[in-house]
Amino acid sequence: MDDDGTRGVRGPSADRVPGPAVPPPPTAPPRVPPPAAAHEAPRYRDAPTAPPAGSPQAEQPAPVAPVDAWLRTPRPPQEPGVWRYGYTPPPPEASETVSDRSLLVGALISLLSALLLWSLWRNGYLPYRLVPLKLFTPGEWWNPGTSGGPRTIEGSDALTVYEALLFGLLVYGCGRIGNFAELFRRHVAERGQPFLALAAAAAAGLAQLLVWKETLPVVRPILVLVATVAGGEIYQSQTVVNVIYALIAALVLWPFARLGRWRELLAARRGAGTPAPAAEAVPATATSADQWPDLRAAGWTDAADTLAAEVRTGRMNDVDVARLRHAWKLAAQRPDRLAPLAEAVLRNGGAAALHPSGRRDLPLRTARHDVLTGQVRIGRCADDPHNPYVRRGTGLALEPALLGTSLLAVGPPGAGKSDRLIRPVVEALALRALAGQAAVLAVGGAGAPLGPDDSFDVVVRVGHPGSAHDIDLYGGTTDPDEAAAVLAEGLVGDIGSLDSRRAATVLAQLLGPYRAAHGHFPSVPALRELLDGAPDALIALRAALEAGGHQAMLRELDARARQAGGPGDPAPVLADRVALLDRPAFAGFFATGPDARPFELRALGQYPLRVRVDLPERGHAEASRLLTRLLLAQFTAITAARTDTTLFACLVLDDATHAVTAETVRGIRRLRSVNAGAVLALRTVDDVPEALHTPLLGAVGCTAAFSGITTWDGKRFAEAWGKEWVETREVAQHTVFADQPFTRALHALRKLVTGKAVTTDAVTVRQVEKERWSASELAYAVPAGHAVVRVATVQGEHAPPLLVHLDG
């Protein structure tokens, strides 16, 4: 088969991991089991049964949404943790609204007050009502005195226009004071059509009746103004009069037509009678994402056209798009690799630059993923006062930029850590690995919901006779001192009274001579014998060193012999811990000879691998904790030492109980600088030594407190999340003492009727510093299925702790 350099041969005896054409794989990859068929159709939750093999649908299933539409969907930059795919900002926060009762009472009082004021004006009960008009008109128009009426026709016309202006100001002031706009919006406009149009039509009919009955001063002022401007002779034409009356009627109807949206209603009614045209797709442009503008800008138009056709016809999925975009980005850094990648695209289309496993998707997805940004949606921010308004109702997502600061999740069993957080994160990292951008190591007990076997390249089942791989206790290193330091951390790092550096020295004094004599590190039984000081094992090792002429290693062995049995010698404790792995259930595991089959953790820093380790937690709990601690120590040491940090590496521990040590906390703090991260799940913070509570919470950038945690755990999270300034209102009631007899009588009558003394409220507003989430709120106010999540990025951006409904 001609694979164009994008895939390699895989099999049980393969000793090379083929990689994509860009970049080429290293020369010493790990050995992984053979993958399933590359064309196997992935299974989606709640998806219909897959079509039979060989059909076009089975070759590559169509995603939920067309890939071209998925590519064009906007992903605007947002705060850390916001689900960016198709994000739309929320509407502006509404201010405190007045109750309907207060709104109606205020409008009624304003209307009655306006009617009373207008009645007093029309009947001449308001003094000096004509003074402003007389100041701007000739005096011969008016009778003498401040209350004298008009003397001439010009005065009468001026009074008519003056009354119309005052009536307009009265209507405007009444509407503003009575808040009629809010009353109309809340009780009329919000009910929608056709009620809005009918209400506006009824109001327009009433207004027309009042206008033509001259109850409202509209007709006569307009006639007066027209006669003043055009002359009185204009009314000699009946046609002109009819036109003016029609304009007045239209002027009265116009605001009601705007309020009732009559034009929109008519357009909708007219369009409802004819079938709506089919929605046309948004035209693609040369710069749209589905047209691969990067390839076109580099001059590879044919490759861009090929990929655009693959997207348009549905032969590519989201993982293919992310993988090829990443491959092109890497190839752009090495111009000599652009041509091979473009040729592979022309031959294979969306199947170019495949993952070493040959897979193009996961067999099953249980969460919403956006592979283009690397985000996985784990929940929705609740509508809670603790959450900022702009975050309420928005999706919460995790991505490598957040996981690079490491994540600590704490919650009791059954709170949903594994199903709603750990598994979505593992899925997202596995999808990113298929795109060639990440490597993931998921560690959990046998049966933990970390995903099916087909979702991983390597599955290590410790203690299971059918496991194709073992765990390398020494992390794949050849340096005895490095291997001793990591192994000592895994064996006795949780013993606070024992110095892990002395334990590492003891191990180095044995591992170095053994490797020099045999060419590999000792197996578990051999290491146990050496730590126990078995004479036969030490004599045999000394003889092998003497035969090989390893004088320096003989001195190391002599130093171990002198220190053995002394006060504070860590060798017995190390031997007891190694004995946990020297059990019949682990026979054949942890081998180091030429027939060994270990998975070297060092490969995670070189290949986009998906690895799962199943630990025998039920029958060997202490051994499982030891191995978890060892894997965490190896991961932090290996990722910190790698030189190429383009690949994001992440370790996911489904149960990190007794796995965190002082050294691993320091290692976790260094992960963000080497493009790596760790996800740790705990039942309680007390599963970590008390001295490490504060350092651990300070080392991780993302934390999640699930429902059901104790107040002790809540207190630690509350201290880690800090405080914020809030505005508080304190209301104090003070009894009112009256001095006047009449006032005292009124107060006594009110107390007799209500049963309460007359008081006044004193309101004090202050800015105080308050915990974002108190320990009691975290323990008792977080509903089931929720968690309080705080995220931060490796660049230093952060979001406040958010109450999230976990639906991942």
Side-chain angles (χ1 to χ4, degrees):
M1 175 180 177
D2 185 10
D3 54 15
D4 300 314
T6 60
R7 291 188 57 187
V9 179
R10 301 295 301 276
S13 60
D15 57 356
R16 291 182 62 85
V17 176
V22 182
T27 58
R31 291 169 292 183
V32 300
H39 62 270
E40 181 181 348
R43 300 187 303 271
Y44 293 88
R45 174 177 290 181
D46 299 331
T49 304
S55 64
Q57 291 82 3
E59 188 170 282
Q60 180 59 44
V64 176
V67 180
D68 52 354
W70 171 78
L71 270 173
R72 298 179 196 176
T73 302
R75 297 166 176 85
Q78 292 297 322
E79 297 180 0
V82 176
W83 174 251
R84 294 166 50 193
Y85 179 77
Y87 174 82
T88 55
E93 184 176 6
S95 58
E96 296 182 2
T97 58
V98 184
S99 64
D100 291 343
R101 179 179 179 182
S102 300
L103 194 63
L104 291 172
V105 171
L108 182 60
I109 292 176
S110 175
L111 179 61
L112 294 177
S113 300
L115 291 176
L116 175 62
L117 187 61
W118 183 246
S119 177
L120 294 176
W121 166 270
R122 294 296 298 269
N123 292 286
Y125 290 107
L126 295 180
Y128 310 106
R129 61 190 185 95
L130 299 180
V131 171
L133 180 59
K134 292 182 178 180
L135 292 176
F136 296 95
T137 53
E140 60 270 12
W141 289 4
W142 310 96
N143 293 320
T146 56
S147 58
R151 177 188 300 176
T152 62
I153 297 177
E154 290 81 359
S156 300
D157 294 341
L159 180 59
T160 300
V161 177
Y162 179 59
E163 287 182 346
L165 294 176
L166 291 181
F167 179 78
L169 293 176
L170 182 62
V171 170
Y172 176 77
C174 174
R176 292 296 301 270
I177 295 175
N179 204 359
F180 279 87
E182 176 66 17
L183 184 66
F184 175 81
R185 184 193 65 80
R186 188 180 302 182
H187 295 282
V188 180
E190 289 185 354
R191 300 184 65 174
Q193 300 287 10
F195 180 83
L196 176 60
L198 293 177
L206 178 61
Q208 290 283 4
L209 178 63
L210 295 177
V211 166
W212 296 113
K213 289 289 186 181
E214 295 191 1
T215 304
L216 301 180
V218 175
V219 178
R220 291 192 61 190
I222 293 178
L223 295 177
V224 169
L225 290 177
V226 171
T228 303
V229 174
E233 297 81 4
I234 194 173
Y235 293 118
Q236 295 179 0
S237 174
Q238 186 63 35
T239 302
V240 173
V241 173
N242 293 337
V243 170
I244 293 175
Y245 284 166
L247 291 176
I248 293 175
L251 183 64
V252 175
L253 288 178
W254 179 76
F256 295 99
R258 290 289 302 274
L259 291 175
R261 302 175 184 174
W262 294 351
R263 183 177 180 181
E264 298 177 8
L265 180 61
L266 291 176
R269 295 291 184 183
R270 189 180 300 111
T274 58
E280 297 181 358
V282 179
T285 62
T287 59
S288 59
D290 61 328
Q291 296 300 311
W292 304 85
D294 295 341
L295 276 70
R296 297 183 186 277
W300 301 99
T301 307
D302 294 341
D305 293 338
T306 301
L307 294 179
E310 294 270 304
V311 169
R312 186 172 58 255
T313 56
R315 292 195 295 267
M316 288 181 65
N317 60 13
D318 52 354
V319 179
D320 295 332
V321 173
R323 185 186 68 252
L324 289 173
R325 287 171 65 120
H326 179 67
W328 184 264
K329 180 180 178 181
L330 294 179
Q333 301 173 4
R334 299 281 302 274
D336 57 316
R337 301 187 184 277
L338 291 176
L341 178 60
E343 293 176 0
V345 168
L346 291 176
R347 292 189 181 96
N348 301 325
L354 278 180
H355 182 262
S357 67
R359 294 295 185 89
R360 300 173 66 175
D361 202 348
L362 295 179
L364 177 66
R365 298 191 189 185
T366 60
R368 294 181 60 187
H369 300 273
D370 184 19
V371 188
L372 204 60
T373 59
Q375 287 191 320
V376 52
R377 189 180 187 276
I378 64 171
R380 173 181 51 82
C381 296
D383 188 5
D384 187 85
H386 286 92
N387 294 343
Y389 172 76
V390 295
R391 298 302 299 268
R392 298 175 190 173
T394 61
L396 184 75
L398 297 177
E399 57 184 303
L402 305 178
L403 298 178
T405 64
S406 298
L407 185 147
L408 176 66
V410 178
K417 301 188 302 298
S418 299
D419 294 329
R420 302 185 179 184
L421 179 64
I422 298 299
R423 177 157 184 178
V425 169
V426 173
E427 280 185 8
L429 294 172
L431 288 171
R432 203 161 182 81
L434 290 177
Q437 305 176 46
V440 56
L441 172 61
V443 181
L450 299 178
D453 294 350
D454 293 343
S455 296
F456 298 92
D457 303 314
V458 177
V459 178
V460 181
R461 296 182 176 91
V462 180
H464 193 283
S467 178
H469 293 274
D470 300 340
I471 292 179
D472 187 356
L473 296 180
Y474 307 100
T477 183
T478 58
D479 185 0
D481 294 326
E482 182 181 351
V486 176
L487 184 58
E489 195 65 32
L491 292 176
V492 296
D494 61 327
I495 303 177
S497 59
L498 184 62
D499 188 359
S500 60
R501 290 174 296 182
R502 293 192 60 187
T505 302
V506 171
L507 289 172
Q509 291 171 346
L510 297 174
L511 297 181
Y514 192 95
R515 178 173 177 79
H518 300 281
H520 57 81
F521 291 120
S523 61
V524 170
L527 180 59
R528 181 182 181 185
E529 290 181 352
L530 293 174
L531 290 172
D532 282 334
D536 295 340
L538 292 175
I539 291 173
L541 179 58
R542 180 179 295 276
L545 291 174
E546 291 176 350
H550 302 288
Q551 298 299 324
M553 293 304 169
L554 283 173
R555 289 194 299 270
E556 286 285 293
L557 194 60
D558 291 337
R560 172 85 287 271
R562 290 192 302 269
Q563 298 172 4
D569 183 18
V573 181
L574 290 171
D576 293 341
R577 288 299 178 89
V578 173
L580 295 174
L581 303 179
D582 190 17
R583 304 296 302 163
F586 303 136
F589 278 80
F590 317 119
T592 57
D595 297 332
R597 50 179 185 178
F599 168 73
E600 296 179 2
L601 197 64
R602 192 174 300 274
L604 283 176
Q606 305 171 3
Y607 304 92
L609 291 176
R610 303 165 294 162
V611 184
R612 192 189 77 202
V613 178
D614 294 343
L615 301 176
E617 289 184 344
R618 295 182 180 178
H620 303 274
E622 288 299 327
S624 298
R625 293 174 181 176
L626 187 153
L627 293 174
T628 303
R629 191 163 53 248
L630 177 61
L631 290 173
L632 178 57
Q634 288 183 355
F635 180 81
T636 55
I638 290 172
T639 53
R642 62 176 181 164
T643 56
D644 186 6
T645 60
T646 57
L647 197 68
F648 178 74
C650 188
L651 170 67
V652 181
L653 298 181
D654 185 57
D655 185 5
T657 302
H658 301 297
V660 179
T661 65
E663 183 62 30
T664 53
V665 168
R666 287 189 287 269
I668 290 173
R669 190 178 290 111
R670 293 192 297 265
L671 291 179
R672 66 178 65 191
S673 63
V674 293
N675 195 24
V679 179
L680 311 177
L682 295 171
R683 294 181 178 89
T684 174
V685 182
D686 290 331
D687 289 338
V688 177
E690 185 176 358
L692 298 178
H693 290 174
T694 300
L696 177 60
L697 288 171
V700 298
C702 303
T703 49
F706 284 72
S707 61
I709 65 172
T710 63
T711 54
W712 292 273
D713 289 343
K715 179 181 179 182
R716 298 181 181 96
F717 280 107
E719 292 175 352
W721 291 337
K723 301 180 179 180
E724 61 179 345
W725 289 98
V726 297
E727 183 180 278
T728 62
R729 296 170 59 91
E730 297 180 358
V731 180
Q733 292 185 340
H734 302 284
T735 304
V736 178
F737 298 96
D739 297 331
Q740 301 299 325
F742 180 73
T743 308
R744 285 199 299 270
L746 290 178
H747 288 185
L749 178 61
R750 180 176 176 180
K751 184 177 181 180
L752 180 64
V753 173
T754 61
K756 297 180 180 180
V758 180
T759 59
T760 183
D761 294 339
V763 180
T764 304
V765 180
R766 296 187 302 173
Q767 292 284 339
V768 298
E769 202 173 16
K770 182 183 177 182
E771 291 177 333
R772 300 179 184 271
W773 281 85
S774 67
S776 299
E777 289 175 331
L778 289 173
Y780 302 110
V782 179
H786 290 67
V788 181
V789 183
R790 186 256 187 187
V791 296
T793 66
V794 292
Q795 290 81 16
E797 300 180 59
H798 57 85
L802 303 171
L803 179 62
V804 181
H805 175 241
L806 300 170
D807 54 8

